[in-house]
Structure formats: C-alpha cells, structure tokens
C-alpha cells in the first residue's frame, strides 16, 4: 500500500471521515476489486487491503478506525507504518476523485 502521494487530507488521523462517491461501480474479481469511475471512464484495481479501506470509506469511519480494522483483519508486522499506508491510499482515492468529504 505505500506510495508517494501526499495531498489535502488532515494530518490528524483521528478526525475526519470520507465517503465513497455513490456513482463508483465496485466489482470483485478474485482477490482483487475493480472500481469503475463512469465520470472519468477509468478503472482502479484494489488489493484486499485497499478494498477494506474502500469499504470503510462510508462517512462513518475515521482513519484511526480504519487502521484498527486493518490491524485486526491482516495482523501486520509491528514495525509496518499502517497509518501512513492508509493515509497514502486515502490521498490516492481523493486525488482520483473516488471519495468525498461528507
């Protein structure tokens, strides 16, 4: 999940929620998930970790809550920067116009 994206999301990861854009089409394809953006006519492929982040972009979960869910589901190594990885994925989702702020 790590990436070079840094955007406009708040640095305080305990606050703020994001919501999936309602017109994005989400389909499972084996272990991957495909997101289709009809406005940009683009497809995004998510691994299982990014899919969980996507699912929790429901306007109800903060980045801190998303981190807790990821840690519970995937049991990453203690030294892994899960919060930073989530921040990168959320920033990418936001830059691609896939999520909005409620």
């Amino acid at each position: 999940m790590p990436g070079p994206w840094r955007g406009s999301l708040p640095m305080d990861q305990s606050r703020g929620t994001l919501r999936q854009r309602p017109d994005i089409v989400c389909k499972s394809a084996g272990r991957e998930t495909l997101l289709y953006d009809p406005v940009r006519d683009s497809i995004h492929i998510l691994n299982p970790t990014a899919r969980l982040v996507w699912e929790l972009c429901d306007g109800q979960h903060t980045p801190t809550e998303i981190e807790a869910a990821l840690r519970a589901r995937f049991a990453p190594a203690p030294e892994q920067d899960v919060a930073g990885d989530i921040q990168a994925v959320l920033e990418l989702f936001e830059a691609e116009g896939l999520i909005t702020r409620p």
Side-chain angles (χ1 to χ4, degrees):
M1 280 190 342
W5 311 283
R6 293 290 175 255
S8 62
L9 290 174
M11 293 307 290
D12 179 355
Q13 299 232 347
S14 64
R15 293 186 228 165
T17 60
L18 296 163
R19 182 181 303 278
Q20 301 167 4
R21 228 177 64 212
D23 62 330
I24 301 296
V25 178
C26 180
K27 298 285 182 185
S28 292
R31 289 186 38 85
E32 296 177 331
T33 299
L34 305 176
L35 301 181
Y36 174 66
D37 180 347
V39 173
R40 294 184 180 185
D41 192 30
S42 60
I43 295 174
H44 306 273
I45 301 171
L46 309 181
N47 65 24
T49 308
R51 180 191 172 113
L52 181 57
V53 173
W54 172 254
E55 290 172 352
L56 295 175
C57 286
D58 58 4
Q60 309 260 334
H61 294 89
T62 65
T64 300
E65 293 167 331
I66 293 171
E67 179 182 355
L70 281 173
R71 287 186 180 282
R73 168 114 22 115
F74 296 106
E79 66 276 1
Q80 184 170 350
D81 182 11
V82 175
D85 292 347
I86 292 167
Q87 182 76 9
V89 170
L90 291 175
E91 289 172 359
L92 179 60
F93 285 170
E94 188 174 42
E96 292 295 324
L98 300 172
I99 57 176
T100 62
R101 296 172 191 276

